[in-house]
Amino acid sequence: MRTALFKRLEELYPQMVELRRDLHRHPELSFHEVHTPKRIADFYEKLGIPIRTEVGGRGVVAVLEGALPGKTVALRADFDALPINDEKDVPYKSTVPGVMHACGHDGHTSTLLHLAKALNEQRDQLAGRVVFIHQFAEEITPGGAKPMIEDGCLDGVDVLFGTHLWSGFPTGTVAYKTGRIMAAADSFEIVVKGRGGHGGIPHEAVDSIVIASQLVSQLQQIVSRFIDPGHTAVLSIGSFHAGLAFNVISETATLKGTVRTFDREVREKIITLMERMIKGTCESSGADYRFTYDRGYPPVVNHEKETMMLKEAAQRVANVKNVVETEALMVGEDVAYYLEKVPGTFFLTGSGNKEQSSTYPHHHPMFDIDEKAMLIAAQTLGEATLSYLDQHRYEAEEVKS
């Protein structure tokens, strides 16, 4: 069955590329996905695979029933895009100004759809069920995973596998990690409220820009001087907005940023220290402030048994040239919520290829993927699925005998 599956995926690869490129041309932002979930649903309807739409909001879930009894494997892919202008000069460039697939979710979607098509053609030999979870709104908290879970997308699921196409690894690489592989991803906003005034008469004003600038520097000391070096944490300011005129001292300044952690205690300590620094700096300068902290996705924690199974599965895929253990990444992913509910693992499929200009970092306006990575991802997910179902089928047969 595996040989036939791999061969069929090779045959479907041109269609996989065609669909990915069409999705790339027509991206949709998180929580605004309308046409993408419809396309996904139409794909499954043509295959004759039962689906549920509007799962948790805009999600789509398809269930492939094998002819033989067995366990249930869930495979998850996301399909939302980002508010970034596509600057690539390619035929499949985004047609939506200011919106693009800058993280590979178009590739995730096409990968899963064509794996479903290939598995569906072999359903007579399939011992168990495969649940295909197509998730909306991964890029923005609160994300689509939680409402989809609450709406039953994991009901009856025994294990979950998922992958992210990753430009940081070369094509042909599969990267795994047991335990924590991605961080908790939080966001915050600080509004400094001073007193506006004339740029030539600064002593009559309370300069919000100067105070906010001090905070940019001071907040960096939290990780470097207050967090044990043995613990990993990141605090980054990503946005600084204030003022409109060259000769006016702005009354307000707004900072936005992110905190990334793995440990709950470290996260709470950082929040406490931020509040203390912001309050002290603003009050000592005669300013007021508003501090908003949003706890985002929890860390992505892979289960050991399933991760080792994935590693071994990847080693059996001919197109995989390297299987490596990755270090933990400070990016966030709401696949974490699925892995809190069921055993499973989330791995990275290398999509970086300098010759194809696909080594730009994720969320970059020039981001692209080496599309061959989709085939590798599909074959690896397929091998992991069949390995899991076969293993438990044989275990069940031994119990009966």
Side-chain angles (χ1 to χ4, degrees):
M1 184 176 179
R2 287 168 170 74
T3 302
L5 178 67
F6 284 10
K7 180 180 179 181
R8 184 57 177 145
L9 287 170
E10 294 272 4
E11 295 170 350
L12 290 173
Y13 175 64
Q15 297 177 33
M16 202 180 293
V17 171
E18 182 181 359
L19 177 57
R20 178 260 164 171
R21 294 186 176 188
D22 194 57
L23 293 171
H24 198 85
R25 292 187 191 97
H26 304 98
E28 295 182 302
L29 292 173
S30 307
F31 297 106
H32 296 278
E33 307 96 333
V34 176
H35 300 292
T36 306
K38 186 176 186 306
R39 288 206 62 181
I40 293 168
D42 289 345
F43 192 98
Y44 283 109
E45 287 178 351
K46 290 177 182 177
L47 295 178
I49 298 177
I51 60 167
R52 287 178 59 210
T53 59
E54 300 182 350
V55 180
R58 299 174 185 269
V60 180
V61 176
V63 180
L64 173 62
E65 295 278 358
L68 304 172
K71 295 285 189 176
T72 299
V73 175
L75 304 175
R76 176 267 196 177
D78 39 16
F79 57 76
D80 55 326
L82 284 155
I84 299 173
N85 198 54
D86 194 350
E87 296 181 4
K88 298 189 301 297
D89 184 16
V90 293
Y92 50 88
K93 179 177 180 177
S94 171
T95 60
V96 184
V99 182
M100 73 172 286
H101 276 290
C103 205
H105 296 188
D106 50 344
H108 300 167
T109 301
S110 189
T111 294
L112 196 56
L113 288 172
H114 287 89
L115 175 57
K117 184 173 184 176
L119 286 171
N120 184 55
E121 293 171 0
Q122 300 185 45
R123 64 194 308 168
D124 290 345
Q125 304 174 55
L126 193 65
R129 301 162 69 239
V130 184
V131 177
F132 302 96
I133 300 173
H134 291 269
Q135 184 200 308
F136 65 102
E138 184 277 328
E139 294 288 2
I140 298 180
T141 56
K146 284 189 73 173
M148 289 191 71
I149 293 169
E150 291 166 359
D151 201 6
C153 75
L154 289 179
D155 289 356
V157 169
D158 297 299
V159 70
L160 180 136
F161 297 111
T163 190
H164 203 304
L165 302 178
W166 203 253
S167 65
F169 287 106
T171 305
T173 300
V174 166
Y176 70 93
K177 190 178 189 308
T178 298
R180 300 176 301 187
I181 187 172
M182 293 182 176
D186 301 343
S187 62
F188 63 84
E189 179 182 83
I190 305 164
V191 179
V192 177
K193 302 177 182 179
R195 184 169 64 248
H198 195 290
I201 316 174
H203 60 285
E204 295 183 356
V206 176
D207 196 331
S208 65
I209 294 178
V210 171
I211 299 167
S213 298
Q214 292 173 345
L215 285 173
V216 171
S217 298
Q218 290 173 355
L219 290 172
Q220 301 308 309
Q221 297 177 34
I222 290 178
V223 173
S224 65
R225 289 295 177 268
F226 293 93
I227 301 301
D228 185 332
H231 295 282
T232 304
V234 170
L235 191 160
S236 295
I237 305 294
S239 174
F240 189 141
H241 287 280
L244 295 172
F246 79 98
N247 60 347
V248 176
I249 292 176
S250 178
E251 185 154 325
T252 62
T254 301
L255 302 176
K256 294 182 180 180
T258 186
V259 171
R260 306 295 171 105
T261 56
F262 288 109
D263 301 292
R264 182 176 300 174
E265 295 79 8
V266 172
R267 173 197 252 178
E268 297 306 319
K269 184 175 182 179
I270 288 175
I271 297 171
T272 300
L273 289 167
M274 288 181 72
E275 179 77 50
R276 184 190 305 169
M277 283 188 175
I278 296 165
K279 180 179 181 180
T281 301
C282 289
E283 289 186 349
S284 65
S285 301
D288 198 359
Y289 70 93
R290 185 179 73 247
F291 175 42
T292 305
Y293 192 99
D294 293 321
R295 291 170 174 80
Y297 306 148
V300 179
V301 182
N302 285 332
H303 299 251
E304 183 174 4
K305 181 179 178 181
E306 289 69 28
T307 302
M308 291 301 100
M309 176 179 288
L310 180 279
K311 173 188 175 183
E312 294 168 3
Q315 291 171 336
R316 293 191 291 270
V317 176
N319 285 320
V320 175
K321 306 306 178 185
N322 295 292
V323 180
V324 301
E325 184 172 9
T326 181
E327 295 181 352
L329 304 172
M330 300 309 290
V331 299
E333 244 280 2
D334 69 349
V335 71
Y337 292 118
Y338 301 104
L339 295 175
E340 287 182 338
K341 299 293 184 181
V342 297
T345 194
F346 191 66
F347 63 97
L348 307 175
T349 302
S351 63
N353 186 330
K354 290 183 178 179
E355 294 180 358
Q356 297 186 18
S357 299
S358 65
T359 56
Y360 285 96
H362 293 250
H363 297 202
H364 190 283
M366 291 289 288
F367 178 83
D368 205 352
I369 62 170
D370 179 350
E371 291 166 326
K372 195 72 174 180
M374 294 190 294
L375 175 60
I376 295 171
Q379 291 177 332
T380 305
L381 286 169
E383 175 64 26
T385 299
L386 295 181
S387 295
Y388 181 87
L389 293 177
D390 286 349
Q391 175 183 319
H392 289 84
R393 173 186 178 185
Y394 298 143
E395 289 176 356
E397 290 175 351
E398 288 176 1
V399 170
K400 288 181 180 178
S401 62

